[in-house]
Structure formats: C-alpha cells, structure tokens
Amino acid sequence: MLDAVIIAIGSELLTPSKTDTNSLYLTDQLNTLGVEVRKKVIVGDDRGMLSAEIREALEQVAIVILTGGLGPTEDDVTRDAVAAALERPLIWRQDICDGIEERFRTRGRAMAEINKRQAYIIEGATVLANPTGTAPGLWIESGHNLIVLLPGPPSEMKPTFEREVLPRLQARVPEVVIRTRFYRVTGMTESDLDTLISPAYKDYTNPATTVLASAGDIQVHLRARCETADEAERLLAAVGDPIEKLLGDRIYSNNGDALEDVIGRLLRPRQETVAVAESLTGGQLGQRLTSVAGASDYFLGGLLTYSDRVKTALLGVDPEVLKRYTAVSAEVAEQMAIGARDRTGATYGISTTGEAGPVSATGAPVGTIYLGYATPAATGAIRLVMPGDRNRVRGFTVNAALDLLRRHILRLE
Amino acid sequence: MLDAVIIAIGSELLTPSKTDTNSLYLTDQLNTLGVEVRKKVIVGDDRGMLSAEIREALEQVAIVILTGGLGPTEDDVTRDAVAAALERPLIWRQDICDGIEERFRTRGRAMAEINKRQAYIIEGATVLANPTGTAPGLWIESGHNLIVLLPGPPSEMKPTFEREVLPRLQARVPEVVIRTRFYRVTGMTESDLDTLISPAYKDYTNPATTVLASAGDIQVHLRARCETADEAERLLAAVGDPIEKLLGDRIYSNNGDALEDVIGRLLRPRQETVAVAESLTGGQLGQRLTSVAGASDYFLGGLLTYSDRVKTALLGVDPEVLKRYTAVSAEVAEQMAIGARDRTGATYGISTTGEAGPVSATGAPVGTIYLGYATPAATGAIRLVMPGDRNRVRGFTVNAALDLLRRHILRLE
C-alpha cells in the first residue's frame, strides 16, 4: 500500500491557538484512495528545518504533501525548501506571473511587486491551478517519490486538491475498491446515538465506522475496502442496514449533504418557500439557509428581532403576550413564526427564541429554547433545553430549527 | 533561547477525525516560560519511525516532549523508542509495579499481566508521578538535551505536566520577560498590508512579528523577549510604533478583540443602537453582531431580504428603483439601510447587497458588493469588489460592513 507524510508550514500553526485542519481533510481524501498517512509534521517558516523534514519524509514514504508557505512574502519558504531538498533550481514562469497580474486586474487592482515571487516554480514541476487564489500548487515526481505543494488557506487548498491532485493521484494509486455510506443525523446527542448503534458496528473492522459530532449535528461514516465491489457492498449492508433501521427518520442525509442543502432540495421541486424570525440566533438560521447557492429560489427573507419592541414592530407580536409570557415562551415563538410567514408570504415560517446566556434576561434558565412554526396546516411551538455556552446553544438551536422545518416539509411525526 | 519539539504518538491521531490538542496546551505552557516550539510531529505506533523522529529532534532543539504511547499494550512504543534513540537500556522498577498494582487494588480490580510493561523505565530517568492514571511520565537529561515523556490522555497529561514538569522546567529555563502587541486590521488585503508594514519589522527578529489573515480580517502579532521589561517595551515600541503610524485607523483593535466586540464597546456608552438589512449575507452580519454577550443592549434587529418583493415589503425599497438599478446597486443599498433604521428606530442602519455567486442574478460581476448606511448625519452607499467563492465573498462583506459601521460611529474619513 502507498503511504504519505503531510507537512504543514507556517509559524502561526505553532502558536497555542491554531490547529492544522488541512491534514484532516487530506487524510480523509488519501485514505479513500487507499493511501495511509504515516506522519504529520508542522514546522514554522524555517527554510532549513523544512528542507530537513522533506528529505527525511522522502526516504520514509512514497508521497509527501505540503500545505502552506506559498504566499508572496519572505516568510513563505516552501518553494525554496523543496527546491533545496530536491536539489533542483527555481525557474521563472512569465505565464504564471501574467495569470496573477490578470487576477488582480479583473479585481480592479494592481499586482504588488512581491507577488512576482509566486511565479517561480521548481524545475520539472507540473503547475496545479489554484481556482480561488494567486498561489499555484506544484506536482513533482522525483524517482519513486511524489511531492505535492498546496496553498495553505483551506478555501484554496481544497479546490486545488479536488480539481488538480485527486485525478492525478487516482491514476497513480493501485486499484482498491472502496465503498462508503455516510449518514447525517440530528435530534440526539452523540452518546445516545453511540449507545443505540454501537452494537451494530462494534464487531466489524471492515467497514470502519467513525462517529463525529458538533452542536447537534452527528456524522456516521462507514468505509469498506475490498477487492471487489460486491464484497464491499455486502459488508456495508451488513453494518449499514441495521444502523439505518435504528436511526430511522433521524437520518436527514445519506450523501453527506448538510441540513440546509437537504431543505433546499425539498423546497425547490415543491415550489415552496421559507421565511425566518430569529431572536437568540441573531441571523445564524438565515445565514445557514442562504449558504446554499441558489437559495433565493426558496428563501424569501427573515426578521431579526432582538428586543420586545422590535418583535412587535416587525413581526406583530402582541405586547400583552410578551408581557404575560416573556419573549422566551411558546406563545411568542408561535407569533413570531406567524409574523414571518404573513409578512413575506412564505409557505413556512420558522422562529427561534430563547436564552443563549451567559445571563438570562427573562428568568428562564440559560439553554431554554422555543422554536415556532407556521405552515399551511398548523401553527405552534416546541420547547427544547440545550447544553453548553452561548455559541453552542446558538449552534444547537439553528440545527434544531432546520430539522423542525425539514420535518414539517416531509410531514413527519 | 530554549526551543522545543513536541511529538504526539498514536495511530488514532493519524485518522481524519482526530486532532492533537495536547500540543496546543503544551505550546501555551512552553511559550509562557519563554520556550519556543519549533516543530510538532504526529507519528503512529511505529517504533522505528518514532526513534528516527526523536534522534532528529535531539539534534535540532534543546527540549523534546513526547505525549502518548505509554500504555500497557504492544502498541505502546514510546518507552522503547526513546530508549533506542538514547541507546540506554530499560530497567525494571518494582516500586512502580507495586504502585500500579495498588492503584488497581483500591479500585477493587486485579492488575492485568500486561500492565507490568509500564514498570520499565529508561536508565537514568526521573519518574514523574501520574496522579490520574497508571502510566508514569519520565524526565531524562542527556547531554544538553531534555526529554520528557508524558501520558497521552489530556486528563492525565495536564496534571502530570503541571505538578511534575512545570516546576522542574521553571528551575532550568533562564528568566525571560515577554511583552506583546496585537493589532487587528481590516479594510485591506494581506499582501497590501505586508507591503506597507514589512519595512518596519523585517530587520527585527526580536520582537518576532507574525501576520495572519482570514476573509478581510488581519492580525499582526509582535512578541518581544528580553531580560528586562524595560528592554522588551523599548523593542516593542521600536517596531510597533511605526506600524501603528502606518496603519492608522485601519487598526480596529489592539487587544485581540474582534470587530463585533469593538462595535459593542463603542455603541454601549454612547447609548446608540444598530439595525441591519441583509441581502447576500443572509443573516451573517446579524449573527456576528449578536455573537457578543449582551448585544441586546445595542442590536435592535435586522431584516433579511433576499427577493426584490421582500425588499419592498419589509424595507420599503422603491420598486421603480429596483427595476431601474437592480438589487445590486448603490441606490438599493442606501434605501435598505434607511429602511432598517426607520423600521427599528436604530441610530445606525447598515445594509449589504451584492452578488455572492456562483452565478450573477442581476448581471453585476460576482464579487460586486454595495454596503449602505443610514446615520443621524447622512445616508449613502459604498461599492466594493470582493475575491473568492460564495463563502469568502460573504465573509469579506460582513467584515467590511462591520468596519463601515465602526467608521461611522467614530466619524472617521
């Protein structure tokens, strides 16, 4: 089996607050191809140390992937360090310089002189186009080794990897059949989910099962590696089918799509629309719904109503109801959802209100949440209690609100 | 100055879902002592590879800290690998074995035979008691090197470090004074910023200067390490004062606070308030403003208006203006800001409209953004062109809108 070392470059990655997340993405991609990651290294902007790491890695594994340090400043040492380790010169490429200059021009700006550094490549390297930034990646074959240089920002690294590296790697890596299942689940805690499904997977190492959770959104990955597709599918079914049965409609996606993508795909063919009214989430629910390209087909709008007065002014919430039940109540959540639906003409109105903390404004305990809904069939509200700090409470609430919308569209429960 | 390499051991740390968090804690502790971390490595349970890493690190730095791989199973290779790298034998310690056995006994369980492996130590090592687990740590001095072995679980690593390692390190490390400055800047690109300020810092290694950027938000860190506080402050001023002068009011924070925190601290004492009208950002501007605890003191609300019809219904944007200039125009941005201000009674109304992509709905190029403002003094709009994909355009836009608000509150420009 082929193996790899991933090296992340950047002094900022050696500070107490930064972690290298690129290597997680790359490990996932490499494992899917059947390539094992044997070491991960983080070094600062230190040419000599980086060169030493590259030389060592080239002796240990077949593939060395480097991220970061391709920018235009003196701190960006990756090109130089790889050139030194491979004992190859750097070569000026006018076409790359022209491309960078053009990129600046289309944005109405002049290219700074230092950006020219990004137009040097290592002799013999194939240039990997960076669709979202100025620093191109490089693909270098040297003896039995492959060295890949990728930009550091994840928003540049991922598209460069997917478009330029993945197809080339696939052509190089020996055939293994890999089949996966990928469930996304909401509406339960990670430990409840694991207690429920672990009997179904714990005796199997193939497929490998991984459970990942963040703020009310849980991902279950199954990955089978076999010599034949039939065998892989058989093993996946042996573990995956019982898991699907146990989780039922708590699975909102089985292709990796996020909840907001699933909702878009439900609303669009139905020609239905949604509007939101947000208190404690302050815009995060709208932001999630509109993070999907083309969301304007079904997202009409939203009202962020942080104060009682604005809840009345923008959503028509009855001041008497606010006074009697406080803003953190089922009654107000319901009126907010009705207000959002009425004022925009949307098919569905969804609202959030609650106490995100750190202190309670209404007397309700921090973490108390009400989600309101207004649909062609009914109006109402549900109450939930969320764990964690302000950020987590808001994150949980948004996932719960999106799931409530999904359940109403699908007429579940 | 003393420097260190941190090596984390464990094959589970090389999977796509696991990240090494011990090294963040250790980096923070070491930096506080004035010890610089020059490299972080993660290796699997691979004796040969680990020995090679240790040998290399011993040549590069003074201090090598290892976490993990001290358990009782065959997979736990750290003791063996360090012994091999230092060419020292492992020695049986009956007292450690008795301690582990005692630990099991007090929990009403018998010690498994394999736990005896944990009673071997490297010749010449000092045993570091592990208050919360069975695997003791080890402290080894070898020539000018110090090697520290710590258990992998954070709940064992941290107390072992604090009780056993920290006091010993403090006694070894020369007294150093550390002083820092931390600027946050918006309204320019990283390369423009670096072109502007690098002449001010590039000839200094002390203070060390780091520049970090994400979607329109740039951080500049300066860290000076000296024998006296006076000397550290003098060096910081020598580099920091010219940088402050060059960046001027583009610096929005010099204590690490985010833009939304700065805005909260500006609005609260002025008893002023803000409301937002968002199109392409879909709630993200509201979300950022309300991520600050206590934002209800000054954030009144917002209107998410994704369609032309809803811009008119919720914000009173003139349908004729929408038709004539399209939704991506200075005229509509201004009317949106006025609408947000009027409908909520806020001091400031801020709006976002533009083309986030991937396709343009109005014909304006993707990345074209208008930010509207309505203040007690004036109304208007500014035009910006943002790089990157949908996500980045939205992120840049939110930072630019927050900065526009900051500038109006402070009456800058």
Side-chain angles (χ1 to χ4, degrees), chain B residues 118-197:
Chain B
Q118 297 180 294
Y120 283 94
I121 71 159
I122 293 157
E123 190 181 65
T126 304
V127 175
L128 307 173
N130 175 347
T132 52
T134 54
L138 295 175
W139 170 285
I140 305 161
E141 303 192 11
S142 170
H144 70 291
N145 286 126
L146 165 65
I147 304 106
V148 180
L149 283 68
L150 290 168
S155 61
E156 301 180 25
M157 188 277 292
K158 290 181 188 179
T160 307
F161 185 89
E162 266 152 48
R163 296 190 200 185
E164 301 285 332
V165 180
L166 196 54
R168 287 180 172 89
L169 270 181
Q170 276 161 338
R172 235 183 112 100
V173 164
E175 200 81 32
V176 186
V177 177
I178 293 176
R179 287 288 185 277
T180 60
R181 289 198 191 180
F182 182 11
Y183 306 116
R184 295 187 72 165
V185 178
T186 188
M188 59 196 310
T189 66
E190 183 183 11
S191 57
D192 286 348
L193 177 131
D194 207 55
T195 304
L196 182 67
I197 71 166

Side-chain angles (χ1 to χ4, degrees), chain A residues 48-381:
Chain A
M49 198 167 217
L50 178 54
S51 280
E53 287 306 316
I54 296 165
R55 276 194 206 98
E56 191 187 31
L58 290 172
E59 284 177 19
Q60 292 172 325
V61 295
I63 302 172
V64 179
I65 299 192
L66 300 105
T67 60
L70 297 181
T73 74
E74 279 292 326
D75 284 352
D76 294 297
V77 298
T78 304
R79 273 179 300 263
D80 289 357
V82 174
L86 295 176
E87 296 174 4
R88 295 193 191 184
L90 287 168
I91 293 174
W92 170 259
R93 281 276 295 263
Q94 187 60 42
D95 58 321
I96 296 178
C97 185
D98 293 346
I100 298 172
E101 208 156 9
E102 176 61 23
R103 203 183 154 80
F104 275 93
R105 196 164 27 235
T106 59
R107 280 166 178 73
R109 300 174 44 224
M111 184 180 82
E113 189 62 23
I114 54 165
N115 283 93
K116 286 195 174 168
R117 294 190 70 220
Q118 297 180 296
Y120 282 94
I121 71 160
I122 293 157
E123 189 181 64
T126 303
V127 176
L128 306 174
N130 175 347
T132 51
T134 54
L138 295 176
W139 169 285
I140 305 161
E141 303 192 9
S142 171
H144 71 291
N145 284 128
L146 165 66
I147 304 104
V148 180
L149 282 69
L150 290 168
S155 62
E156 300 182 24
M157 187 278 290
K158 290 181 187 179
T160 308
F161 185 88
E162 266 153 48
R163 295 191 201 186
E164 301 285 331
V165 180
L166 195 54
R168 288 179 171 89
L169 270 181
Q170 275 162 339
R172 243 182 104 100
V173 162
E175 200 77 36
V176 184
V177 177
I178 291 171
R179 287 288 183 279
T180 61
R181 289 197 191 180
F182 183 10
Y183 306 117
R184 294 188 73 164
V185 179
T186 188
M188 60 197 307
T189 66
E190 184 182 10
S191 58
D192 285 349
L193 177 131
D194 207 53
T195 305
L196 183 66
I197 71 166
S198 67
Y201 74 75
K202 73 171 175 5
D203 296 333
Y204 290 82
T205 54
N206 193 16
T209 302
T210 343
V211 178
L212 279 178
S214 76
D217 193 2
I218 310 176
Q219 309 186 358
V220 182
H221 292 256
L222 277 62
R223 176 151 58 192
R225 300 158 113 151
C226 300
E227 284 181 23
T228 69
D230 279 359
E231 177 68 1
E233 290 295 352
R234 196 186 60 72
L235 287 174
L236 269 187
V239 177
D241 291 352
I243 288 178
E244 286 185 31
K245 205 159 178 179
L246 288 165
L247 293 173
D249 64 22
R250 280 178 288 208
I251 296 175
Y252 66 79
S253 158
N254 51 27
N255 62 358
D257 277 353
L259 207 33
E260 54 271 31
D261 296 310
V262 171
I263 285 166
R265 226 175 335 278
L266 290 173
L267 289 173
R268 198 175 277 117
R270 287 173 172 77
Q271 298 188 287
E272 293 182 334
T273 55
V274 62
V276 300
E278 305 188 48
S279 184
L280 84 151
T281 51
Q284 197 171 348
L285 177 56
Q287 192 233 318
R288 279 281 294 277
L289 283 164
T290 59
S291 66
V292 181
S296 53
D297 292 349
Y298 52 83
F299 181 77
L300 294 189
L303 299 109
L304 315 182
T305 55
Y306 230 55
S307 73
D308 283 6
R309 201 177 51 70
V310 173
K311 284 184 181 71
T312 300
L314 296 185
L315 289 165
V317 176
D318 182 349
E320 282 302 309
V321 170
L322 276 163
K323 206 166 152 189
R324 183 153 166 201
Y325 299 102
T326 83
V328 179
S329 64
E331 290 76 7
V332 168
E334 182 174 353
Q335 289 201 6
M336 287 172 67
I338 294 170
R341 182 170 186 262
D342 287 354
R343 273 158 176 72
T344 59
T347 318
Y348 302 96
I350 296 288
S351 74
T352 65
T353 184
E355 292 288 357
V359 291
S360 171
T362 62
V366 169
T368 307
I369 305 299
Y370 291 90
L371 303 175
Y373 55 91
T375 78
T379 68

Side-chain angles (χ1 to χ4, degrees), chain B residues 190-320:
Chain B
E190 183 183 11
S191 57
D192 286 348
L193 177 131
D194 207 55
T195 304
L196 182 67
I197 71 166
S198 65
Y201 74 75
K202 73 173 175 3
D203 295 334
Y204 290 81
T205 54
N206 192 16
T209 302
T210 343
V211 178
L212 278 179
S214 75
D217 193 3
I218 309 178
Q219 309 187 0
V220 182
H221 293 256
L222 276 62
R223 177 152 63 188
R225 305 159 114 140
C226 299
E227 281 179 26
T228 68
D230 279 357
E231 176 68 1
E233 291 294 351
R234 196 187 60 73
L235 286 174
L236 268 188
V239 176
D241 290 352
I243 288 179
E244 285 184 32
K245 206 160 179 180
L246 288 164
L247 292 173
D249 64 23
R250 281 178 288 209
I251 296 174
Y252 66 79
S253 157
N254 52 24
N255 62 359
D257 276 352
L259 206 34
E260 55 270 30
D261 296 310
V262 172
I263 286 167
R265 227 178 332 281
L266 291 173
L267 290 173
R268 198 176 276 116
R270 289 171 170 78
Q271 297 188 287
E272 294 181 332
T273 56
V274 62
V276 299
E278 303 188 49
S279 184
L280 85 152
T281 50
Q284 197 172 346
L285 177 55
Q287 192 232 318
R288 280 280 293 277
L289 283 164
T290 60
S291 66
V292 181
S296 53
D297 291 349
Y298 52 83
F299 180 77
L300 293 189
L303 299 110
L304 315 182
T305 56
Y306 230 55
S307 72
D308 283 6
R309 200 176 53 69
V310 173
K311 284 185 181 69
T312 301
L314 296 186
L315 288 166
V317 176
D318 182 348
E320 283 302 309

Side-chain angles (χ1 to χ4, degrees), chain A residues 12 18 24 38-40 42 46 53 56 73 107 282 286-287 290 292 301-302 304 309 344 390 394, chain B residues 18 24 38-40 42 46 53 56 192 194 212 282 286-287 290 292 301-302 304 309 344 387 390 394:
Chain A
E12 75 279 9
K18 278 276 175 180
L24 302 179
R38 295 192 57 207
K39 181 168 77 168
K40 304 201 299 188
I42 300 172
D46 177 331
E53 287 306 316
E56 191 187 31
T73 74
R107 280 166 178 73
Q287 192 233 318
T290 59
V292 181
L304 315 182
R309 201 177 51 70
T344 59
R390 183 174 176 85
R394 284 165 40 117
Chain B
K18 279 275 177 182
L24 302 178
R38 296 194 54 207
K39 180 168 77 168
K40 306 200 297 188
I42 300 172
D46 177 331
E53 288 306 317
E56 192 187 30
D192 286 348
D194 207 55
L212 278 179
Q287 192 232 318
T290 60
V292 181
L304 315 182
R309 200 176 53 69
T344 59
R390 184 176 176 84
R394 284 163 42 115

Side-chain angles (χ1 to χ4, degrees), chain B residues 36-114:
Chain B
E36 191 192 3
V37 175
R38 296 194 54 207
K39 180 168 77 168
K40 306 200 297 188
V41 181
I42 300 172
V43 290
D45 306 315
D46 177 331
R47 203 168 319 214
M49 200 168 216
L50 178 55
S51 280
E53 288 306 317
I54 296 165
R55 276 194 207 100
E56 192 187 30
L58 291 172
E59 283 176 18
Q60 293 172 325
V61 295
I63 302 173
V64 180
I65 299 193
L66 301 105
T67 60
L70 297 181
T73 74
E74 277 294 324
D75 283 351
D76 293 298
V77 299
T78 304
R79 274 179 300 264
D80 289 357
V82 174
L86 295 176
E87 296 175 5
R88 294 193 191 183
L90 287 169
I91 292 174
W92 171 257
R93 282 276 294 264
Q94 186 61 42
D95 59 322
I96 296 178
C97 185
D98 293 346
I100 297 172
E101 206 155 10
E102 175 61 22
R103 203 181 153 81
F104 275 94
R105 197 166 25 238
T106 59
R107 282 169 177 69
R109 298 170 47 219
M111 184 180 82
E113 190 61 24
I114 53 165

